Each structure stands twice: as structure tokens, then as C-alpha cells.
Amino acid sequence: MPADPIAIVRRREDGLARRPAVDWAIGELRAAVEAKAIRVDLLDEAREPDRTGIVLTVADSRDPGAERILRAAGVSVPDVPEALGLVRDASGGGRSVLACGSDERGLIYAVLELADRVAHAADPSEAVAIDSPVVERPANQVRSVARCFASETDDKPWFQDEDWWRRYLSMLVAQRFNRLNLMVGLGYNFHWHITDSYLYFPYPFLVDLPGYGVRVPQLLDEERERNLHMVRFASREAVARGLDFQFGIWTHAYEWIDSPEARYTIEGLTPDRHAAYCRDALQALLEACPDIGGLTIRTHGESGIPERSWDFWKTVLDGVARCGRRVRLDLHPKGLDAETLEIALATGMPITLSPKYAAEHMGLPYHQAAIRELDRPPTDRDQETTGKAAYMNVCEGSRPFTRYSYADFLREDRPYDVVFRIWPGTQRVLLWGDPAMASGFGRLASIAGSQGIEWADPLSLKGREGTALPGPRDGYADLTLSPADDWDKYAYTYRLFGRLTYDPDADPETWRRHLRSAYGPVAAPAERALASASRILPLVTMAHHPSASNNYYWPEVYTDIGIVGEDGSVETHYYDTPEPKRFGTVGPLDPEVFAGAEGSVREALEGRPSGRYSPLDVGGWLERLSDDALEHLARIEAEAPELSDTQIRRLVTDVAIQAALGRFFAGKMRAAVGYELFTATGDQAALQAAADAHHAARTAWTTAVDRASGVYVDDLTYGPQSWLRGTWSDRLPAIDADLDAMTELARSVGSDATTTDPATDWAMQLLTHGSRGPVLTHRPPDPFVPGDGIRIALDVDDATGEGIAGVSLRYRHVDQSKLYEQVEMERGEERYVATIDGRYSDSPYAMQYLFVVRDTDGRAWLHPGLDADLSNQPYYVIRQRPQPI
């Protein structure tokens, strides 16, 4: 029996429903329905739809007919950008559905939601039946994807493929991203030792500027014109789908220093014409590509322009002002000073700052409670003024705290927006997909009124610095695992990031319909296995952070830093980690919430625990996550024993590797704690426990090696240095060398496993406190008036609160350049109370704070701390009360 037809209805008078981008979305819905062999009729009210079928009405939520249906259903669509509604029209006999939106983009999302339901359903009639009203609004104004062009070999094929762009852009919109940032010039940090310079200094690769004679002699005119066509095409296709198109320019250097092997050079440009040429070329680019809605520009020294080059940036940004239309300027704010910001503001264009979310990596979804000491403002450190350092006199001079977090940019009175960028340092190759963590990013990206988030998509920076090799960009040696489009492997990742940064509370059906299509009968264990595995590396990133740079630290294919070294230090490439350099002295990315091995051992032995999570706490989390991932992986392998499905094989491999990495890092962290205890106390039992944990870590790493063998190529290239290329097996020699050193040390000091120092036993208890403690509740106060005292109260359950010895309130402005203030809270009736002084609140910043709770046994823990899913904010933030204008 043929399925009932579906009619898609738009009123002639509804201008919003007839816009071109909405028309495109209706085309996607029609294609999804017709793919199920169901007839689709496109109608307006001038014709009566076939009442034997299903009627889908597409409308502006303010349309009179839509308002009638919404009122009858008892709901309304918020009058905010990008809101949507899906409601059954009771007057249509239960077979009519309204898809409406507050604006063009909201309406597109409503229509594409129906298309997505149809595409993943066995019965399209059930897919479009709306049992209860769906009304959604965005949690973040900006939900952006950064697509990086870093390699001519790896990136030119997709960049110059029109069909690729159509597929990619359609996918982004379907997952409710609202911006794409095409970024060029990220192939190198500096214009030193350049080989692959394609689009590095982008202007002469895109435009021919009369009167300047600037050209790339190795580039044919036809290819330059093709490049400009592709930027124009991609931006036009993006806008046609309801996406904003951002163009990111990261380099303004035009001469490559010590670069005799550069494949492309710039001819005809001189220092005296440099700024003017960039201004006029930028204007020409914007005029040639009218759908470029914004520019992301790196203004710090790695752009090739020394910091504090104010005249240069004033000239260049004037090219934006001259283009004659509104263009959003997005400044990458590392090293940003007040003068450069004022130059941008003076253009009259809307300004956004886009700081890094968790250095150049993906950590847990919250923003660092504190930055590393190495990133704090210098006191008496001498600053080099030659070489690369001469370019970085702000971000490596007076304002280093701007490099890796939001710095002091979150003023409540800021005349600019803030959008956070997740850099691609943590996980580049392996599948990622955790709904809880994606929801966490959706909830927490908007700290202190920020506008949203930009995520560098998977495989970003592949083939960087001229290291691309023949073969697929995705790194598969087993070519049966390579998808036609490299991004298709990560379709679930895009779905979670896009939809859950739009609506962190979305119905799980939002992602589970995809899982059922992808993994069939093993969809449920696949979701759980991947979710647990996906928390492992972000947790490692926060707790063990030997470098904030993605060019040095790659926890996914980790280059080992030794635990044991002569004179307390080991040889390592990690330049920005504390001295003496060894695994145990490596600090966390967030030193307010986590402690490294050496620091936590010192606190425990001195009997002054800070409440921060120790490496043993982190090791316990990692082991539980790995165990959970492997438990559900075993279910998949049992229920799909042949593993012939490509998507299942990809997932099984990547989850197994991540679970092995979790066990490896758990073992290394336990080993580091044992070693630090031994060096502090001479306890042989601690050293032997360290050696045992190190052996377990090494065994886990070999599991990752075995799982990757034959699946991934032997050289995953993200840069020329050994730590940015190779594969998991290449890291074993360093792990073995450190393990041999520890084993030999344990042998040399003896095999007596008896604890000789009672302090060690007590220290171990303090180091494994986890998050145990009394029941505590806290309700943040209302927004405050600057200059008023802020009363903070922590309520304690009377049945468990008697063991509390005291509570400290730690607070600071939402300003990463500041240190925390601390005050002891006074015990009242079933609560602890403290007041933040009005003199401190009298600032242009919101306030953040947390509690350190101590019990009578000498333990300490943080409140609120981290929840079981590691996706909450472990501190509180209160905003200032808006003042009347």
C-alpha cells in the first residue's frame, strides 16, 4: 500500500516563508521525503491540499494562521532570533503540522528538523507527527565552525570542490551551526622556515590589485581567479543556506625568513607599501565577495606584524571601513592592547574578540577557574627583544595572560562581543561524541554574557608546515574506513556540538535518531561507549598540561615526559612547563581545581590539603571512564561480531584507543604520585607502587598501539617535529626508557615493601579524598551593584555538617589576570556566611567564587566541584545588576 502523500504549504502573503534560504530548506525536506518514495506537493492556500495525506505548513511564527495554531496548542515562539516551533494543528484532524520560526534562520531550523526526522525514520508519517509542541530558542548567539586551510596537499582538494562545499554547508546548517569561519594563514606560527606557503599571505592568491604589481610568480592567473571564485562561491552558498560566512586572515607577513624551499613567494611588495597594499587588497576582497559577513584577524606578533604596530593596523582596517557595508571584525585577542582595540572600534564596525577556550586544546566545558602561573603577568622576568620575541612584546611581555583564556576582556561595560574558540590541540584524529559535555559547552560558553563558541573541526591543521603525505586526509591506512568526505566520519560530533550549543537541553532523540541510523541494534552501547571515551582526553588536558601550545602538546598521540630523572629533571621538548621538568612537576591547565603530583604530595605531607583534585582523583575518573567505555564496547562486539559495518569499525577502534589512553594516563599519574612520595619520604613501598603503576600504563599504551596498527597510517602529520607526527608505536621507546629508569631505581633502593613513614599512609588517604563530604547547598545571590557588599551563604545539612572544621570562600573578578582573594566564613545556624567587601565589588567585572571545605579529619574538598559527568562549572558566577540608562 503506497504511503500517504505529504503537502508542504506556504501562504503567498508570508514573506518570511518565501525567502530563498527557506526555499532551500524546503527543498531539503522535499528530498528527504521523496527519498522514502513518498509524493510531495508544494502548495499555497490558493489550492486545497490533499486531506488524505499529511499537511506541513511552513510559516512565520507571527503569521495570523500560525498564531492561531500556536494559541490553540497553548504555546508561543519567543520573539528572539533563531527561535523555532513545531506544533500539531488540531484543526487539521491531527495530520497537519505547523513548522514556524521567529526569523529566517529559525524557520530554516524548523523545516530542517522535519527533514532530519524523516531522513532517520522508517515511517515518515510517524517522523513528522508532533505528539507534543516543540519550542526552542538558542542558548548562544554564535555557534561557529572553523575550517582551516593549512596545507596545499590536504586542503586544496576540498577548498576547490564546489560539490564538497554544498554538502558541507548543508550539513552545518542542518546541525544548527550559524557561522562558518574559513581560516587561512595558520600553516605556521611565524614566517620562518616556510615551505608550504599556499594562501599563507592570502591577498595575492586571491586578488590582482592594479597599480601595485604584487603577485605570486609561481601561481597561474587562472588559479588565482579560481581561488577567488571559490571564496565567493562558498560565501554565497553559505548565505543561501542561512549561514554567516567569516573569513579568517592569520598572517600579514609577505617575506619568508630563512625559507629557501618555499613553494610560493610574494613579488612586488615593499615595506613602505605593505600596509596600503593590505588595506586595498582587503577592500577588493570584500567587494568581490559581498557575502563575506565578517573577518577574523590575528593582530599579535605571530601574524608577522610586531605588536604595537598601531599605524599598520589603522591603515589595514581602514580597508574594511571603505568597503561600504557592515562587516563584523573578529580580533584574535592574544596580545591585544587597548590601542589596537580602539583602532578596531574606530572603524565603526561591530567588534568581536575571540579568546581561546582552554588554551590551544579542548578541555572540560567550563572556563579555567584560574590560569597557569607561567601565563601570569611577569614580575622581574627579562624579556628578549630579538628574533621572534621582538614580535611578541605584549603577549610575551606585559600581557601574557591574554594568550590562553579570556584574560581581562569580560568587562560588564565592554563595547564588543566575546566568542570563545576551541582549538584543535587535544583530539585531532579519533572520534569524539559526548552529549553531556557538548551540553556543557552549550551552557557555559556564554559566561558573563559572552556570545558563543567557535569549534575548530576535526583534522584541523592536518599536514601543517608542509608535512602532508599522499593518501586520504583522514589518516586511515585501511582505505575501506575512509569516507567520501573526511568530515562524514565526525557527523555525530558535528551534530552534538551544533545542536547542543543551540539547545543544551535538547531531547536525546535529537542525537539518538542518528545513532540508530549509524549503528543499528548497537546504537545504545555505542552512545555510552563513545560518551565515556570522549571525556578521557579533555579531562587529561585539564589535569596534566605540559604545554598550552597545540604545537607541543598532543595528548591523543602523547609524547611522554619522564617521571624519573637525574637531578630531578628530565629532557623534554615541553618548553612551557615548570622547572624541574618531569611528569610529577607538570601542572594542570586549571591550578584552582586540579593539582599536579608534586604539589598535591607536598600539600598532603604538610597536612594542608587545598581541596583540589589530585592525580589520584583524576586517575580514578580515568579508570572508571575507560572501564565503562570497554564494558559497552564489549556489548557492541558481542552483538555485532562480524563488525563488517564501516561506521561500527571506526567507532570500535577509536573507543578502544581512547580507553587505552585513559588507562595509560591513570597509570602514569599513579606512578608520578608514588615517585613524588618516595622522593619526599624515602618510602620504598611508594616507589614499588609507582613502578607497578608504570608497568600498567605501559601495557595500556601497547593496547592503543595494537588497536591502531593497520587502521591508521604510520605517520599522522600535524607538523614537522617528532611530537606532531608519527603514530602511537613511535612513542613506546620514551615510555620504555622511563619505565626502565624507575624499575632500576626500585631495584637499587631495595625491595622492602614495608611503609617506614606513617606520614605516607596518611598522605595517601588525603590524596584519594575524591569528592566525599557533607551535603552542601548554595544559592547564588542576585546580581549585585558595584560598590555594595555581596553576602554569600553556604547551607550545610545538619546531619552531616558536624564534621566540618571550617569553610573558606575564594573569589575574584571574572578577570584571569587577577589572583583569588580568600576569607574564612563564619558559622551560623546550619550555614556558613561571608561578605565580599564593597570596595572589591566596585569594578567593571562580574564575580566568580567557590568554597574550600575542611573537615575535622584534615581533609578538604571544593564546592561545587565537578559532577559525575565532568561537564558542569565548578564555581559560581554572579553578574552585575544592569544600571538604568
Side-chain angles (χ1 to χ4, degrees):
M1 180 177 177
D4 292 337
I6 292 179
I8 301 174
V9 180
R10 290 180 292 179
R11 287 195 336 114
R12 290 186 183 278
E13 296 81 3
D14 190 339
L16 181 65
R18 293 185 174 276
R19 288 186 181 176
V22 177
D23 199 49
W24 166 81
I26 290 173
E28 295 290 288
L29 173 57
R30 181 177 188 174
V33 174
E34 290 178 338
K36 304 289 185 179
I38 298 173
R39 192 184 89 226
V40 180
D41 297 319
L42 298 181
L43 306 174
D44 54 53
E45 288 186 340
R47 282 182 56 193
E48 184 71 13
D50 184 348
R51 292 298 178 181
T52 64
I54 298 168
V55 178
L56 304 178
T57 300
V58 177
D60 187 330
S61 60
R62 295 173 294 270
D63 178 83
E67 289 184 330
R68 174 187 56 76
I69 297 171
L70 291 168
R71 278 196 306 272
V75 297
S76 62
V77 172
D79 188 18
V80 298
E82 303 185 13
L84 67 89
L86 295 172
V87 181
R88 178 184 293 177
D89 180 4
S91 67
R95 309 203 71 197
S96 296
V97 170
L98 168 69
C100 62
S102 62
D103 59 8
E104 180 181 54
R105 199 171 276 161
L107 187 51
I108 290 169
Y109 295 157
V111 173
L112 293 181
E113 173 65 13
L114 292 176
D116 192 66
R117 293 182 180 211
V118 169
H120 290 95
D123 184 347
S125 298
E126 291 185 6
V128 297
I130 306 300
D131 295 328
S132 58
V134 175
V135 175
E136 295 182 273
R137 60 186 295 171
N140 295 281
Q141 294 177 30
V142 176
R143 305 172 305 283
S144 182
V145 170
R147 183 80 182 185
C148 303
F149 187 109
S151 162
E152 181 179 11
T153 300
D154 275 336
D155 296 325
K156 192 194 286 185
W158 59 259
F159 172 66
Q160 294 190 343
D161 184 341
E162 292 185 2
D163 287 338
W164 181 93
W165 277 108
R166 292 187 182 98
R167 294 189 298 271
Y168 184 66
L169 294 170
S170 296
M171 179 273 298
L172 293 182
V173 178
Q175 305 314 330
R176 300 193 194 170
F177 291 102
N178 62 5
R179 190 178 84 170
L180 172 68
N181 191 349
L182 175 61
M183 301 203 300
V184 299
L186 263 175
Y188 297 80
N189 274 8
F190 281 96
H191 51 294
W192 269 256
H193 312 299
I194 305 296
T195 56
D196 183 358
S197 53
Y198 200 90
L199 285 174
Y200 185 54
F201 177 60
Y203 302 122
F205 287 87
L206 298 170
V207 296
D208 179 28
L209 212 58
Y212 281 96
V214 176
R215 59 189 291 267
V216 179
Q218 301 84 1
L219 188 76
L220 295 176
D221 290 347
E222 292 82 359
E223 185 162 355
R224 184 197 65 239
E225 293 167 2
R226 173 69 176 168
N227 289 338
L228 180 63
H229 166 77
M230 290 312 305
V231 175
R232 185 188 298 117
F233 175 85
S235 58
R236 183 178 68 241
E237 291 291 313
V239 170
R241 288 161 171 76
L243 268 174
D244 291 336
F245 188 90
Q246 192 90 2
F247 192 65
I249 302 173
W250 288 76
T251 298
H252 274 83
Y254 67 94
E255 292 182 303
W256 323 144
I257 299 174
D258 295 331
S259 304
E261 298 180 5
R263 299 172 196 165
Y264 300 92
T265 56
I266 309 301
E267 182 181 273
L269 194 53
T270 56
D272 60 305
R273 300 193 304 160
H274 184 197
Y277 168 78
C278 293
R279 175 199 63 207
D280 295 345
L282 187 56
Q283 179 181 350
L285 175 64
L286 292 172
E287 290 173 350
C289 302
D291 291 307
I292 293 177
L295 294 168
T296 296
I297 296 181
R298 175 168 61 178
T299 57
H300 67 78
E302 289 176 4
S303 68
I305 307 302
E307 289 163 7
R308 296 197 171 103
S309 295
W310 301 313
D311 288 343
F312 178 87
W313 291 116
K314 185 175 182 180
T315 299
V316 172
L317 295 185
D318 189 43
V320 183
R322 291 181 179 188
C323 79
R325 60 184 174 87
R326 182 180 183 272
V327 177
R328 178 169 289 280
L329 270 176
D330 175 352
L331 302 185
H332 180 56
K334 175 180 176 179
L336 184 66
D337 56 16
E339 292 84 353
T340 306
L341 178 57
E342 285 301 320
I343 289 168
L345 291 168
T347 64
M349 298 295 172
I351 304 299
T352 297
L353 305 187
S354 51
K356 296 167 182 172
Y357 203 117
E360 294 180 359
H361 302 274
M362 186 175 84
L364 301 180
Y366 76 90
H367 302 269
Q368 294 164 259
I371 58 175
R372 307 180 309 160
E373 184 60 32
L374 287 167
D375 302 324
R376 295 195 53 72
T379 52
D380 56 354
R381 287 185 295 183
D382 292 333
Q383 298 296 312
E384 296 182 28
T385 56
T386 60
K388 295 177 183 178
Y391 284 77
M392 314 286 279
N393 51 41
V394 177
C395 69
E396 292 187 2
S398 60
R399 290 174 59 79
F401 55 87
T402 62
R403 297 164 71 186
Y404 299 124
S405 192
Y406 57 74
D408 56 357
F409 298 125
L410 291 182
R411 297 173 58 101
E412 295 275 50
D413 59 352
R414 55 186 181 266
Y416 48 80
D417 290 341
V418 174
V419 172
F420 293 95
R421 182 172 293 117
I422 300 178
W423 280 68
T426 293
Q427 203 156 330
R428 307 172 194 256
V429 178
L430 302 175
L431 272 174
W432 187 96
D434 177 22
M437 193 170 288
S439 293
F441 281 114
R443 293 188 182 95
L444 303 175
S446 56
I447 184 173
S450 300
Q451 277 62 47
I453 192 167
E454 179 170 280
W455 165 62
D457 67 1
L459 305 177
S460 287
L461 307 183
K462 176 71 167 58
R464 195 171 190 258
E465 297 190 41
T467 59
L469 299 173
R473 184 172 181 258
D474 54 40
Y476 279 121
D478 181 350
L479 297 183
T480 66
L481 295 174
S482 286
D485 293 317
D486 55 51
W487 54 261
D488 192 50
K489 169 183 174 177
Y490 308 98
Y492 183 55
T493 312
Y494 283 97
R495 176 174 292 259
L496 293 181
F497 261 109
R499 287 172 172 255
L500 292 176
T501 55
Y502 175 89
D503 180 7
D505 299 313
D507 188 327
E509 179 62 17
T510 296
W511 60 86
R512 288 178 179 161
R513 69 175 77 114
H514 167 87
L515 291 171
R516 288 193 297 271
S517 294
Y519 304 113
V522 295
E527 177 183 356
R528 182 71 177 270
L530 186 55
S532 293
S534 296
R535 295 175 195 171
I536 288 171
L537 290 174
L539 173 59
V540 170
T541 295
M542 297 300 288
H544 173 75
H545 208 77
S547 179
S549 170
N550 77 90
N551 291 324
Y552 288 85
Y553 182 33
W554 183 12
E556 185 180 49
V557 188
Y558 178 67
T559 297
D560 193 58
I561 180 170
I563 295 174
V564 180
E566 296 182 8
D567 302 322
S569 188
V570 299
E571 184 177 346
T572 180
H573 73 280
Y574 296 114
Y575 74 99
D576 58 329
T577 202
E579 300 279 357
K581 298 180 187 293
R582 62 177 186 270
F583 192 98
T585 58
V586 170
L589 178 61
D590 184 352
E592 184 68 18
V593 175
F594 294 93
E598 190 272 339
S600 58
V601 165
R602 184 176 63 252
E603 289 178 1
L605 290 174
E606 294 175 358
R608 50 176 188 82
S610 64
R612 298 179 295 171
Y613 295 109
S614 78
L616 298 188
D617 294 320
V618 175
W621 273 323
L622 292 173
E623 288 165 346
R624 290 190 290 275
L625 291 170
S626 297
D627 290 348
D628 191 68
L630 291 173
E631 175 187 341
H632 290 86
L633 201 59
R635 283 186 55 193
I636 295 173
E637 293 175 321
E639 296 175 27
E642 299 302 320
L643 295 179
S644 59
D645 182 89
T646 298
Q647 297 200 73
I648 294 177
R649 289 165 58 211
R650 289 187 199 129
L651 178 136
V652 166
T653 298
D654 287 9
V655 167
I657 292 173
Q658 290 174 78
L661 295 178
R663 287 180 167 175
F664 167 79
F665 279 107
K668 281 282 288 191
M669 290 179 181
R670 293 189 184 282
V673 168
Y675 178 77
E676 297 298 333
L677 275 170
F678 165 74
T679 59
T681 66
D683 190 315
Q684 297 173 31
L687 180 59
Q688 187 57 53
D692 293 344
H694 207 324
H695 275 283
R698 198 268 183 193
T699 299
W701 193 270
T702 61
T703 299
V705 171
D706 292 343
R707 284 289 192 160
S709 178
V711 176
Y712 288 105
V713 296
D714 292 335
D715 194 4
L716 298 165
T717 57
Y718 286 85
Q721 299 87 357
S722 61
W723 54 85
L724 288 177
R725 65 187 310 167
T727 187
W728 288 271
S729 60
D730 296 326
R731 309 308 195 242
L732 267 174
I735 295 170
D736 285 342
D738 189 43
L739 176 56
D740 290 345
M742 181 173 284
T743 303
E744 175 59 25
L745 178 62
R747 186 199 62 77
S748 69
V749 300
S751 58
D752 183 3
T754 302
T755 299
T756 57
D757 187 347
T760 305
D761 279 339
W762 177 234
M764 286 296 291
Q765 293 182 49
L766 294 180
L767 285 166
T768 54
H769 74 279
S771 58
R772 293 194 301 273
V775 177
L776 306 170
T777 56
H778 170 67
R779 178 181 176 182
D782 294 334
F784 65 95
V785 175
D788 287 355
I790 307 172
R791 185 175 182 273
I792 306 291
L794 179 66
D795 294 320
V796 182
D797 181 83
D798 56 3
T800 59
E802 290 304 317
I804 295 181
V807 179
S808 299
L809 172 67
R810 290 179 58 76
Y811 62 93
R812 67 163 172 81
H813 303 137
V814 183
D815 175 357
Q816 294 284 33
S817 71
K818 303 300 182 186
L819 294 171
Y820 277 82
E821 305 287 325
Q822 180 166 314
V823 62
E824 281 299 303
M825 303 186 75
E826 296 181 0
R827 178 68 186 261
E829 186 176 344
E830 298 182 5
R831 62 173 38 188
Y832 284 81
V833 179
T835 300
I836 297 174
D837 191 275
R839 289 170 295 183
Y840 191 82
S841 78
D842 191 10
S843 85
Y845 292 96
M847 197 74 64
Q848 73 179 70
Y849 59 93
L850 51 83
F851 305 96
V852 180
V853 184
R854 303 178 303 279
D855 68 13
T856 53
D857 291 328
R859 301 176 187 273
W861 61 94
L862 303 179
H863 183 81
L866 289 168
D867 291 343
D869 61 12
L870 305 177
S871 297
N872 66 304
Q873 181 175 268
Y875 50 84
Y876 298 97
V877 173
I878 47 175
R879 302 284 304 279
Q880 293 185 7
R881 185 183 304 168
Q883 298 300 301
I885 297 176

